Structure formats: C-alpha cells, structure tokens
C-alpha cells in the first residue's frame, strides 16, 4: 500500500487508546468494520464475491440464502481460468470494482486461489485450477482489475483448504515441498504481481496449527518473503485464539461484534503476554484500509455493458472437449433442444458466492431473441428422478431433427459450499436420457454446465461436447454464439478430467475428518497423471477449435544458462484453417532426469494469440530460474540442479508439439531427495504412497487421531453429541438456524438445509460462539464445555461468571 497512507495510519493509531486499537481488530457487524469517529477513521463494508457482488442490504448470512442486491453474475472461476487470459480477467475485475463502488463496498471477498486437489471439492466452481502458475496469473489479473477502481480484494482461503467437509476443524497434513510448489505458489504469484489489499485466512489447521494462529504463514512467508503489504482477515468465524492471532499478524476478525475477544487483547497487553506494538501494527493496517476506501465516491455502472461482458467472458472461457461434424451448426438445420438447463440454466454455484443477477439469458431466450426455430423437450428435471415420459418426449423430438442439442450438467444439490460431492457422476436421469438419445443415430451436441469434472459414460457416442462450466447470467447467449460459429471456442482445460474417481491422486485421502493427509505431495492433477502414465478423459490444457493451428520454428535465446539467468522462448503459430480463432500456447519445462522426485513436466508460461485464417504470429515468453527450480527443504530455498532441461511447447500437457533443450548450470543434483521414497520417484509403480514414505517426505510422523474426549471449545457439534448436554445443545442450535432462515428464499431451502447440516456437524463450539453476535460469551462457552464433560454444576457456575 502507499507509503503516505501507511504513515498517516500509524500517526492516527499513535493517538488511539488501547481499547480503540483493539476494537479495530474485529468487525462491527456481519459485513462492516468498526470506526474511531473522534479521529476520522470510518467504518467500511466488505462483502462476498468473487464472480459478482453479493451485498446483503437486509438480513445477513454467509450461505447465500438471504436476499442480496442485484449485481452482474459473471462466469465462475472454474470457467474463467479456462480462458488462460489475465487481461480478460482484468476487464472483469474492473467491472466488479465499478459495481462495488456503486454499492459503497470497500473490499470484495475474493478471488479464491485454492488449488483443485480433487474434483469432489464442493467449492471447485469457485477455484481456478489444479496448476499454481495458472491460478496465480489469472488471480493477479482479476485482482489488478478490481483494485484499479480503488476497491480492495481479499484473496482466499489461505491456506491448504481444499475440501468442504470438516473445513472448520480438519488438520491439513502437508509436506513443505507441496506447500511451496503447489499450495503457496498461486498466492505468491498474485501477491508479487498485484498486491491484494487483504488476505483471508482459512478455517483449518495446517500441520497442527490453525491458520489464524500460524505466524509463519500469516507473517513470515507473505510479508517477510513475498513483500505482502496488506492486511489479513479471518474467514467468517475462523478465529481460534485471538491473542495468538495478533502475535501471528492476523489483523481483522470477522464477523463482529467480537467484544469479548477485543477485551482479551486489552487484557493480554496489560498482563504482558502481548505487546502494544503488536496491536499497533494490526490496527494500523486496518486504519490504512479505511483511509483508502473512504476516498471513494459512489459512481454508477452500465448494467447492459456488464451483461455483454459476461457473455464475452463466457465465450472466451468455453472449452470444446470433443469435435465432430455438427459444429458450427449449418444454416437451415432442423434443431432439437433438449434439457431442463436450456430454459433454466445452471450458471453459478451455491453458497456465499451466490449472486442475484438483474437478468438471466438462457439458450432458449437467446434463440427466441434471434428468431431461430427449434423444437424443445425437457428431457429431465434438474433435481428430479428418471422420468420415462420426459425421455420419450425427448427421443421423439430428437428423431425429427438434423442436430440434437442437449443442455445438461450438475444441479445445485450436487455441488455447493458446505459439502463435497460423493462421486463424479451426472444425475441418473441425465445419463439415462443420453443413453436413449444416442440410440437415435442423430448427431448430438452435449453442452455441459458444471463446477468441476464429471464422468461422461456416453462421451464417445456423441458428436461434440462443449463445456461451459458455470458461465454466468448471459451463458445462453454465449452458448448460442459458439454453436452458430459466431464465436470460436478457445478455452483450455484448467484441470484434468480423469476417467474415474479412483484414478485421482488423492483418492482415499480426501474428505476425511481430523487429519487430512496430502499423501500425493506435489503430484496434483496433471503432475500425477502424466508422471504415472495414467489414462485420462481429457488432459490439462486440452481444448479444441473450429480451426487448426500449427506450431513451428521454436527458438531459444541461449542454449546454456546459469541458475540466475533468463531464457527467451519464441515460437511461430499459424492458423491453417478457414476461420479466425485463438490458441493458447503452453510452455512446459521437463527436468533433466527421469525417475526422480519431480513431475514429468510443469507449466511455466503461456500466451493466448488471436489469428485470422492463414495468419502466422511469433509468440514470445521468458523463463527465469524459478522455471527450473524445486523447493529444497534442507536449504529452505529454491534450488536449480544442473542438467539438460527440455523446453516443451504444447496444446495440452499431453499434446507436446515442439521441444528444444537448454543446459542449465546450477547445483549438483541432490540424490537425497530421491532416497527412500521410490513411489514419489515413480508414481506409476505403486499408488497411493505408503505411509512410511509420506512421513519421510513430511519430516515427522503423521499426528495421532485426536480423541473426542474430553470436550473442548474446539470440539465440533458432531462430536459433542456423544454427550447428553451436547445432543440437547445441537437440537437447540439446529432449531434456531431453521427459524432464522425460515423466512428466506423458499426455493433454496432444500439447498440451505443440506449446507446447514453439513456445516453444523463439523463446526467447533468456539466458531459458533463467534458467529453468535456476542450472545455466546467466552464464559458461556466455558460453561457449556464443562456441562458436556458431565460437570453440570461447575458449568452453570462458569456461565454465571
């Protein structure tokens, strides 16, 4: 942040009482910070994102149930990452910033930079990629765009929060190489390139320490190593120990009010267990944010222009998974449009990112607007069971058409914040429909709407597959543009689509409670599939076009370099087809030896190029030493080993078109990283990794499973039901939750109940207290815990203080 604002913030904090400083370290309410009015430090609003603004003008919640103001719903991160276009993300970010200013929002909570460890994560629609480089570059573009409007971002969920189940109580057991090379790297890139105003810490523990208490991850790494200048806030209710969090450098606890924790800060300073200078640092960072935000004036935005931008982003992000002869649609072709999603599109995810768009354009809406004739059959109910009558109607419609367009995918009930998927299958009614439609012999174009990879048992029986992910409020117009050939698909997969759940590298070690062992270490996504020679449905980086591209004339600026040098890479790309299109050129680096503890290849640069038919362009990219490095846990630094590295240019991780080698002069190769871990050197031999090898890489034994007794403030509501007092308490809480949200959108109540049940089961008592708005004081929590442990009288005494 600007030095002038930082100095002014420090000057103001110097004039504050200890109580005023402590008060700035927690929220005023669900969405606003506190003010120090006598010094002109104003309150400001933060609100959910990240692909649209979810400002709640009335009742507040973090689940997407209560009403929010109308705002553009852009495509979600699962889609936009496939654009491989940071400049497009900058435009989307600027539009989001405009809408924030119009609604007087100072900070939007996003983007979400979590790595897609498993396709089952219920929140994958909100995350970019399995690859940290792509994640960081796309996030940096979005952050820079939002902050160009003097609106802050809160990059989340930091760190190693890669599942929804037990996200508030689990312990991510991750080795240091995986942390550095996979899970921290995206955050690092975005911070160094775009300096988000804030980071948001996650709920979970990382190697035994809650994120909010982790000084190494809250301060030493981002501030000390990467130069992060902003503030750090909690996710809603993610605070563990307020005093330890101040020491760790965590500035803002949300939501508020948190008067009890503010008092603990003051008490700790007066008792000498916390220095006032540590509180000053946190208060100054929040004051600086307030000074920046309050400069903004309310400005209007062009709603129609944002609707059109959402359409463009959806087009640029769509991935043509399979191409036959039906696309682009031929003029005059008789069309059958089938699927509930054709009229009622699945365009966004469920939970805290759920946007209230001012308008929604379905495929049927877009076709009607352009006066395109077609027959329609529902085929399936999005949340329904198999229906023979709907299938029969769809088959009849298909038989009378030249081309069949089927709009299908995952319904809201299959993926959401709060719970993970149990499998990778589409709903049974959709697969049964597809089985019958493929028997007609008609060319079928499947258009998929989903937040993550799914298994497609019929994928070889259809003509074409167009993947939209969750493409925002104007998805229908974008789909029609692509089907007609008015736009050419140019997206590339930001995640591998496996053939089966059992093939995923973390299978068996995902979605656990307690310890979540990241046994696969650095082998996430294509880094595992390619190294293990595992068959996949569609590889990372895959995406077809209506035209063809040829790569040629790969040149390197040098054939040798030192470990601190750079190399310029240039390649020529030619559009050899008859339609204009865009191609994503992917640059991978392969290490100098096989059979070592490194991936077969890693994405190190990419560029998107637009070409007219017959046109050629030179594409240039530069690699620095980090492109050849791995993290050395012994030296606690990045290490470049000497050897001959392959520079590979590809259209996907499995479609390498050109290769040139470069000799790198660095450190002598270290055989120690391969010793005693043969599975990590050859993951195709045995998988999953044996526990003893994982512990060697981890550097210590996996922590023992925690006993649920005696209960503590960190015990979950699911665990305390082992006691009578816990069961009674759970019933009261669930009843109050249902009453609180009973007046919400009835259309979303089934979705809400599923989220609530999953959330309550794994929620620690302390988090419930933090979300209570001050009703559950520390004394009440202490008394409840005593009662759950069977000490009823002692518990009552503590409650009374």
């Amino acid at each position: 942040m600007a030095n002038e604002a930082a100095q002014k913030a420090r000057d103001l904090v110097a004039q504050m009482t200890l109580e005023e400083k402590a008060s700035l370290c927690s929220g005023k309410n669900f969405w606003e910070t506190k003010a120090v009015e006598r010094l002109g430090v104003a309150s400001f609003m933060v609100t959910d994102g990240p692909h649209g603004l979810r400002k709640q003008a009335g009742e507040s919640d973090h689940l997407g149930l209560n009403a929010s103001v109308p705002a553009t719903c852009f495509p979600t991160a699962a889609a936009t990452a496939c654009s491989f276009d940071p400049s497009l993300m900058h435009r989307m970010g600027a539009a989001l910033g405009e809408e924030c200013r119009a609604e007087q929002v100072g900070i939007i909570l996003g983007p979400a930079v979590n790595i897609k460890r498993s396709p089952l994560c219920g929140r994958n629609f909100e995350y970019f990629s399995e690859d940290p480089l792509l994640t960081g570059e796309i996030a940096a573009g979005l952050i820079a765009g939002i902050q160009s409007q003097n609106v802050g971002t809160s990059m989340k969920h930091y760190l190693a929060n890669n599942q929804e189940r037990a996200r508030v109580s689990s312990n991510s057991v991750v080795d240091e190489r995986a942390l550095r090379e996979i899970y921290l790297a995206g955050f690092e890139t975005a911070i160094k390139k775009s300096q988000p105003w804030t980071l948001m810490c996650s709920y979970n523990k990382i190697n035994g320490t809650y994120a909010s208490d982790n000084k190494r991850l809250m301060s030493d790494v981002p501030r000390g190593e990467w130069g992060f200048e902003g503030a750090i806030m909690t996710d809603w209710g993610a605070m563990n120990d307020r005093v330890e969090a101040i020491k760790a450098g965590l500035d803002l606890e949300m939501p508020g009010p948190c008067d009890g924790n503010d008092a603990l800060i003051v008490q700790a300073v007066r008792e000498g267990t916390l220095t006032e200078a540590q509180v000053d640092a946190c208060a100054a960072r929040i004051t600086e944010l307030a000074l920046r935000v309050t400069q903004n004036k309310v400005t209007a935005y062009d709603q129609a222009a944002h609707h059109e931008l959402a359409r463009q982003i959806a087009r640029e992000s769509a991935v043509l998974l399979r191409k036959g002869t039906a696309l682009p649609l031929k003029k005059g072709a008789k069309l059958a449009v089938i699927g509930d999603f054709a009229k009622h599109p699945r365009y966004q995810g469920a939970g805290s990112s759920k946007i209230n768009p001012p308008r929604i354009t379905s495929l049927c809406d877009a076709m009607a607007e352009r006066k395109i004739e077609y027959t329609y059959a529902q085929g399936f109910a999005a949340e329904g069971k198999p229906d023979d009558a709907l299938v029969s109607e769809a088959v009849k419609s298909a038989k009378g058409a030249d081309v069949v367009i089927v709009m299908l995918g995952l319904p809201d009930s299959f993926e959401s914040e709060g719970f993970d998927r149990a499998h990778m299958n589409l709903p049974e009614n959709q697969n049964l429909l597809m089985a019958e439609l493929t028997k007609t012999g008609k060319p079928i174009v499947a258009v998929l709407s989903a937040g993550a990879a799914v298994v497609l048992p019929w994928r070889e029986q259809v003509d074409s597959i167009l993947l939209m992910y969750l493409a925002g409020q104007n998805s229908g117009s974008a789909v029609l543009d692509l089907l007609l050939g008015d736009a050419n698909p140019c997206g590339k997969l930001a995640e591998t689509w496996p053939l089966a759940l059992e093939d995923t590298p973390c299978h068996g070690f995902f979605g656990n409670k307690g310890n979540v062992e990241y046994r696969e270490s650095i082998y996430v996504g294509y880094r595992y599939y390619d190294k293990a020679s595992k068959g996949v449905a569609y590889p990372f980086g895959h995406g077809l076009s209506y035209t063809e591209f040829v790569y040629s004339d790969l040149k390197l600026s040098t054939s040798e370099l030192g470990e601190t040098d750079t190399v310029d890479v240039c390649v020529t790309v030619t559009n050899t087809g008859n339609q204009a299109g865009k191609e994503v050129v992917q640059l991978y680096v392969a290490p100098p030896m096989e059979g070592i503890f490194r991936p077969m290849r890693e994405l190190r640069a990419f560029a998107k190029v637009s070409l007219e038919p017959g046109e050629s362009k030179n594409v240039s990219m530069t690699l620095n030493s980090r492109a050849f490095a791995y993290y050395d846990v012994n030296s606690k630094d990045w290490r470049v080993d000497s050897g001959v590295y392959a520079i590979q240019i590809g259209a996907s991780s499995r479609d390498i078109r050109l290769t040139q080698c470069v000799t790198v002069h660095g450190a002598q190769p270290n055989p120690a990283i391969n010793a005693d871990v043969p599975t990590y050197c050859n993951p195709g031999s045995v998988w999953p990794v044996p526990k003893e090898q994982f512990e060697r890489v981890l550097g210590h034994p996996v922590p023992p499973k925690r006993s649920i007794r005696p209960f503590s403030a960190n015990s979950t509501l699911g665990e305390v039901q082992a006691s009578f007092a816990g069961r009674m308490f759970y019933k009261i809480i669930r009843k109050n939750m249902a009453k609180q949200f009973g007046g919400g959108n009835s259309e979303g109540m089934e979705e809400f109940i599923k989220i609530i049940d999953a959330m309550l089961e794994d929620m620690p008592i302390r988090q419930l207290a933090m979300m209570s708005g001050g009703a559950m004081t520390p004394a009440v929590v202490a008394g409840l815990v005593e009662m759950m442990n069977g000490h009823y009288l002692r518990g009552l005494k503590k409650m009374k203080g």
Side-chain angles (χ1 to χ4, degrees):
M1 294 184 182
N3 290 333
E4 185 179 337
Q7 185 57 55
K8 185 175 181 181
R10 287 193 291 270
D11 291 344
L12 286 168
V13 168
Q15 302 173 55
M16 294 180 190
T17 66
L18 176 58
E19 287 78 7
E20 287 172 331
K21 297 172 191 177
S23 75
L24 289 177
C25 297
S26 67
K28 178 173 75 174
N29 52 37
F30 211 85
W31 298 118
E32 294 176 294
T33 62
K34 290 175 184 164
V36 181
E37 293 179 0
R38 71 179 185 87
L39 295 175
V41 178
S43 168
F44 61 90
M45 173 172 274
V46 305
T47 196
D48 275 322
H51 52 269
L53 182 66
R54 193 178 77 88
K55 176 185 175 181
Q56 292 180 309
E59 291 294 318
S60 300
D61 72 89
H62 201 47
L63 301 169
L65 265 295
N66 284 313
S68 58
V69 299
T72 307
C73 181
F74 291 99
T76 68
T80 57
C82 298
S83 73
F84 277 70
D85 192 342
S87 63
L88 184 65
M89 291 303 93
H90 191 285
R91 290 179 60 198
M92 174 174 156
L96 286 170
E98 289 175 4
E99 297 196 20
C100 286
R101 289 188 65 143
E103 291 292 343
Q104 296 180 281
V105 169
I107 295 175
I108 188 169
L109 305 179
V113 185
N114 304 64
I115 291 294
K116 294 185 177 184
R117 181 176 176 238
S118 167
L120 295 184
C121 177
R123 211 168 177 179
N124 271 355
F125 63 85
E126 209 173 325
Y127 304 151
F128 292 116
S129 178
E130 67 189 28
D131 182 79
L133 174 75
L134 178 59
T135 293
E137 294 287 349
I138 294 293
L142 186 66
I143 290 165
I146 294 170
Q147 296 185 172
S148 72
Q149 304 301 307
N150 201 48
V151 172
T153 57
S154 190
M155 187 165 59
K156 60 186 184 181
H157 308 87
Y158 182 74
L159 180 72
N161 167 207
N162 307 100
Q163 64 183 48
E164 287 300 286
R165 188 185 189 205
R167 65 176 180 171
V168 295
S169 56
S170 61
N171 177 32
S172 297
V173 183
V174 199
D175 71 277
E176 187 67 11
R177 272 194 69 185
L179 279 176
R180 293 287 184 163
E181 296 180 26
I182 305 296
Y183 299 101
L184 284 165
F187 287 95
E188 177 185 5
T189 296
I191 284 173
K192 288 181 174 178
K193 289 201 163 192
S194 296
Q195 279 293 344
W197 288 11
T198 73
L199 277 177
M200 181 192 290
C201 88
S202 56
Y203 294 106
N204 53 292
K205 296 177 184 177
I206 301 101
N207 293 323
T209 303
Y210 279 103
S212 62
D213 299 351
N214 199 317
K215 181 178 179 295
R216 185 174 83 97
L217 293 178
M218 294 301 108
S219 289
D220 299 348
V221 171
R223 290 174 173 136
E225 297 181 24
W226 303 340
F228 175 57
E229 300 170 357
I232 302 178
M233 68 172 73
T234 64
D235 203 339
W236 267 230
M239 182 61 70
N240 179 49
D241 182 316
R242 192 63 189 102
V243 173
E244 287 303 310
I246 291 284
K247 294 177 183 177
L250 192 143
D251 307 293
L252 178 63
E253 177 182 1
M254 290 298 287
C258 306
D259 298 339
N261 275 348
D262 293 352
L264 289 177
I265 294 171
V266 173
Q267 180 183 345
V269 171
R270 289 181 174 151
E271 291 177 352
T273 57
L274 185 67
T275 68
E276 190 161 357
Q278 290 171 314
V279 181
D280 289 350
C282 294
R285 286 190 283 261
I286 302 306
T287 300
E288 186 178 350
L289 287 174
L291 294 175
R292 298 190 72 171
V293 167
T294 51
Q295 298 173 16
N296 291 342
K297 295 180 180 178
V298 177
T299 53
Y301 68 94
D302 188 335
Q303 193 177 94
H306 287 193
H307 187 64
E308 185 57 31
L309 178 60
R311 175 184 188 171
Q312 181 183 346
I313 294 168
R315 287 196 310 245
E316 294 275 326
S317 305
V319 181
L320 187 60
L321 294 179
R322 179 178 172 87
K323 180 175 68 172
T325 59
L327 294 181
L329 296 172
K330 296 173 179 61
K331 192 172 182 179
K334 293 174 65 177
L335 305 177
V337 175
I338 295 171
D340 204 352
F341 290 170
K343 287 191 173 181
H344 308 101
R346 173 99 195 286
Y347 61 94
Q348 67 171 327
S352 63
S353 69
K354 196 164 190 176
I355 311 304
N356 176 24
R359 59 187 291 199
I360 302 166
T361 303
S362 69
L363 175 60
C364 289
D365 293 333
M367 294 179 81
E369 187 177 317
R370 296 178 66 167
K371 296 180 172 57
I372 296 172
E373 294 185 358
Y374 64 96
T375 63
Y376 172 76
Q378 183 180 355
F380 64 89
E383 299 286 359
K385 296 178 180 179
D387 187 317
D388 291 340
L390 290 179
V391 172
S392 296
E393 179 192 20
V395 169
K396 182 179 178 181
S397 181
K399 286 179 177 178
D402 297 325
V403 179
V404 182
I405 301 163
V406 188
M407 300 286 292
L408 72 169
L410 295 178
D412 276 345
S413 62
F414 272 52
E415 53 182 353
S416 170
E417 178 178 359
F419 61 88
D420 298 313
R421 286 193 289 165
H423 54 74
M424 288 180 60
N425 301 326
L426 288 172
E428 182 186 7
N429 60 356
Q430 295 187 33
N431 280 331
L432 289 174
L433 170 68
M434 292 301 289
E436 293 304 311
L437 289 176
T438 56
K439 294 176 184 177
T440 66
K442 298 290 184 174
I444 295 172
V445 176
V447 181
L448 288 171
S449 298
V454 293
V455 173
L456 305 174
W458 38 262
R459 66 189 181 90
E460 300 292 343
Q461 282 79 54
V462 298
D463 181 89
S464 302
I465 303 175
L466 180 63
L467 172 65
M468 300 302 297
Y469 278 104
L470 302 180
Q473 69 180 48
N474 206 355
S475 58
S477 299
V479 169
L480 186 57
D481 292 340
L482 294 160
L483 294 178
L484 295 176
D486 295 342
N488 194 345
C490 59
K492 300 280 188 172
L493 284 179
E495 62 180 322
T496 307
W497 278 45
L499 287 168
L501 175 60
E502 293 74 20
D503 294 338
T504 57
C506 61
H507 182 61
F509 296 93
F510 173 85
N512 302 7
K513 294 187 177 185
N515 292 327
V516 180
E517 298 178 30
Y518 285 51
R519 287 264 185 116
E520 70 281 1
S521 184
I522 61 173
Y523 293 115
V524 177
Y526 73 90
R527 286 170 167 78
Y528 166 72
Y529 297 113
D530 291 357
K531 179 89 169 184
S533 300
K534 181 73 71 174
V536 299
Y538 303 105
F540 174 86
H542 170 75
L544 305 174
S545 170
Y546 296 152
T547 190
E548 300 293 333
F549 300 99
V550 171
Y551 297 66
S552 62
D553 201 20
L554 174 60
K555 294 178 181 177
L556 308 184
S557 61
T558 181
S559 60
E560 295 192 32
L561 66 153
E563 60 181 306
T564 60
D565 296 334
T566 61
V567 56
D568 297 325
V569 180
C570 184
V571 63
T572 301
V573 183
T574 303
N575 181 349
T576 59
N578 56 13
Q579 184 167 342
K582 296 181 180 180
E583 175 70 334
V584 176
V585 181
Q586 301 162 46
L587 191 162
Y588 297 87
V589 173
M593 292 181 291
E594 294 183 359
I596 60 174
F597 186 7
R598 295 188 70 172
M600 177 178 286
R601 63 180 61 90
E602 296 179 270
L603 183 72
R604 295 309 196 196
F606 59 87
K608 195 167 191 176
V609 59
S610 179
L611 296 165
E612 294 297 318
E615 185 182 11
S616 296
K617 284 184 180 177
N618 293 329
V619 177
S620 297
M621 294 168 276
T622 300
L623 300 178
N624 60 23
S625 61
R626 183 74 172 264
F628 304 94
Y630 65 92
Y631 191 80
D632 180 20
V633 296
N634 294 317
S635 65
K636 297 182 180 180
D637 201 358
W638 294 94
R639 176 188 177 103
V640 178
D641 283 349
S642 294
V644 179
Y645 292 76
I647 308 298
Q648 302 176 333
I649 303 295
S652 80
S653 74
R654 294 203 173 178
D655 185 6
I656 302 301
R657 305 285 181 88
L658 300 170
T659 301
Q660 287 268 14
C661 291
V662 61
T663 300
V664 178
H665 300 287
Q668 280 297 111
N670 179 13
I673 71 164
N674 308 309
D676 300 322
V677 286
T679 303
Y680 287 112
C681 297
N682 183 15
S685 59
V686 177
W687 203 261
V689 176
K691 184 177 181 180
E692 60 272 15
Q693 290 188 44
F694 176 56
E695 291 183 331
R696 289 183 195 123
V697 168
L698 191 62
H700 56 78
V702 173
K705 184 178 179 181
R706 182 177 64 86
S707 173
I708 68 169
R709 290 179 185 272
F711 301 119
S712 70
N714 275 325
S715 296
T716 68
L717 294 181
E719 290 171 340
V720 300
Q721 289 182 71
S723 72
F724 175 77
R727 288 192 295 275
M728 294 302 101
F729 181 65
Y730 182 85
K731 287 181 180 179
I732 293 169
I733 294 299
R734 196 177 185 282
K735 183 178 179 180
N736 286 342
M737 283 277 194
K739 184 178 179 181
Q740 178 183 352
F741 293 104
N745 179 5
S746 59
E747 203 174 296
M749 284 310 293
E750 184 177 342
E751 165 197 319
F752 157 73
I753 290 167
K754 192 170 183 179
I755 295 173
I756 279 293
D757 283 344
M759 183 182 74
L760 287 180
E761 182 74 16
D762 297 316
M763 180 182 282
I765 298 170
R766 61 161 173 85
Q767 189 195 23
L768 187 66
M770 290 170 199
M771 302 289 280
S772 71
M776 285 181 65
T777 64
V780 170
V781 171
L784 280 170
V785 169
E786 289 285 7
M787 293 173 76
M788 290 168 186
N789 283 317
H791 309 303
Y792 292 94
L793 293 177
R794 192 187 306 171
L796 287 171
K797 186 176 180 181
K798 284 195 173 183
M799 284 185 181
K800 292 176 182 178

